[in-house]
């Protein structure tokens, strides 16, 4: 992963500026952890980011230099969508995993 983009993502997750969402990248003003990265990309590319289900799209993956639309992190290499949606780790916990493992 691109180290500068990773820092932007980790900082955004730790900022408290994003409300956490489960099951969708974005719904209203709430985001999953992958939705936060997609929103950062949208801001940098000056494109709108509307409510959306799914995982990272190819443009975001290429921009962030990720080889997966749902990266694996942590001791058990869990996918980020699972950590966000099923395990319900908060953004600060997810930020630590991203910082350490990506």
């Amino acid at each position: 992963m691109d180290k500068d983009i990773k820092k932007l993502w980790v900082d955004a997750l730790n900022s408290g500026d994003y409300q956490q969402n489960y099951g969708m990248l974005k719904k209203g003003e709430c985001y999953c952890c992958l939705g936060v990265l997609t929103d950062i990309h949208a801001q940098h590319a000056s494109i709108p980011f509307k409510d959306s289900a799914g995982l990272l799209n190819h443009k975001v993956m290429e921009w962030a230099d990720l080889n997966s639309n749902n990266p694996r992190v942590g001791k058990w290499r869990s996918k980020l969508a699972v950590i966000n949606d099923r395990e319900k780790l908060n953004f600060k916990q997810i930020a630590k995993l991203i910082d350490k493992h990506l």
Side-chain angles (χ1 to χ4, degrees), residues 14-102:
N14 282 320
S15 71
D17 293 340
Y18 288 90
Q19 288 184 291
Q20 195 163 5
N21 180 45
Y22 306 99
M24 295 184 71
L25 291 176
K26 180 181 184 212
K27 184 172 183 178
E29 294 302 316
C30 298
Y31 300 79
C32 79
C33 63
L34 297 175
V36 172
L37 181 61
T38 302
D39 187 56
I40 294 166
H41 172 262
Q43 291 174 32
H44 279 79
S46 298
I47 57 174
F49 176 34
K50 299 178 181 173
D51 290 8
S52 173
L55 302 171
L56 297 175
N57 69 40
H58 288 289
K59 288 182 181 182
V60 175
M61 287 171 52
E62 288 175 10
W63 174 73
D65 195 23
L66 289 167
N67 60 5
S68 172
N69 64 354
N70 191 9
R72 293 179 180 270
V73 296
K75 183 177 178 181
W76 293 278
R77 306 291 293 154
S78 296
K79 292 183 177 185
L80 281 172
V82 171
I83 290 170
N84 187 92
D85 297 345
R86 289 190 199 145
E87 296 179 21
K88 298 201 183 324
L89 269 64
N90 65 46
F91 279 165
K92 290 188 183 294
Q93 294 167 314
I94 293 170
K96 286 180 186 177
L97 291 171
I98 290 168
D99 196 35
K100 183 175 180 179
H101 297 283
L102 288 182

